Amino acid sequence: MTLDSRLATVVEAARSKKAFRIRLLDVRDIASFTDVFAFMSGGSDRQNRAIAEAVEDALKLTGERPISREGETNGNWVLLDYGNLVVHVMDEETRRHYNLEGLWSAGRDLELPAETHPASDARP
């Protein structure tokens, strides 16, 4: 399955804030409430909030707003619900503890877009 521009926007926004272990999981065949989970990690509560904010801001530019947002106060797990897309930004401890990726392991991984580097980072 190819990555649509909406998911590419999410990945690029997350990368812009140095999110790591980004994973997109297609669950449309096994979940009734969403089509795709986006999982990503940050190194601190502050970084998690910044990643979530970057994703939300990038999708706002395309006219999308989340149905709900959860976890901004604590920051160890920020969830953005867009209906057919649910974005999870977690610290590694929370991600391991809840193991949502294991719970939804019957889903299909979507290939991430190649990383783009600013012109100033271009190497000869």
Side-chain angles (χ1 to χ4, degrees):
M1 175 175 268
T2 60
L3 191 68
D4 67 28
S5 62
R6 177 188 195 209
L7 295 177
T9 297
V10 168
V11 171
E12 290 308 314
R15 285 177 174 162
S16 77
K17 297 299 179 183
K18 308 297 185 210
F20 54 93
R21 289 206 327 113
I22 300 171
R23 183 176 181 197
L24 300 175
L25 194 60
D26 182 334
V27 293
R28 74 185 77 225
D29 294 335
I30 58 173
S32 61
F33 59 92
T34 194
D35 292 342
V36 176
F37 284 129
F39 297 103
M40 57 202 66
S41 293
S44 68
D45 297 348
R46 186 175 181 181
Q47 184 183 12
N48 290 345
R49 286 189 290 270
I51 293 165
E53 185 177 318
V55 168
E56 187 173 357
D57 289 348
L59 289 177
K60 275 183 190 174
L61 292 175
T62 68
E64 287 196 69
R65 296 188 184 278
I67 295 166
S68 69
R69 287 181 295 216
E70 302 290 333
E72 295 163 314
T73 303
N74 187 328
N76 63 325
W77 180 0
V78 182
L79 181 141
L80 301 172
D81 183 352
Y82 288 91
N84 62 357
L85 167 64
V86 178
V87 179
H88 299 273
V89 184
M90 297 181 249
D91 62 34
E92 284 295 291
E93 181 181 340
T94 301
R95 194 167 175 174
R96 276 190 304 276
H97 177 77
Y98 287 98
N99 190 26
L100 294 180
E101 293 155 278
L103 180 65
W104 295 99
S105 63
R108 292 179 292 148
D109 277 297
L110 300 174
E111 186 176 341
L112 299 179
E115 290 193 53
T116 58
H117 298 285
S120 62
D121 287 350
R123 293 190 166 74

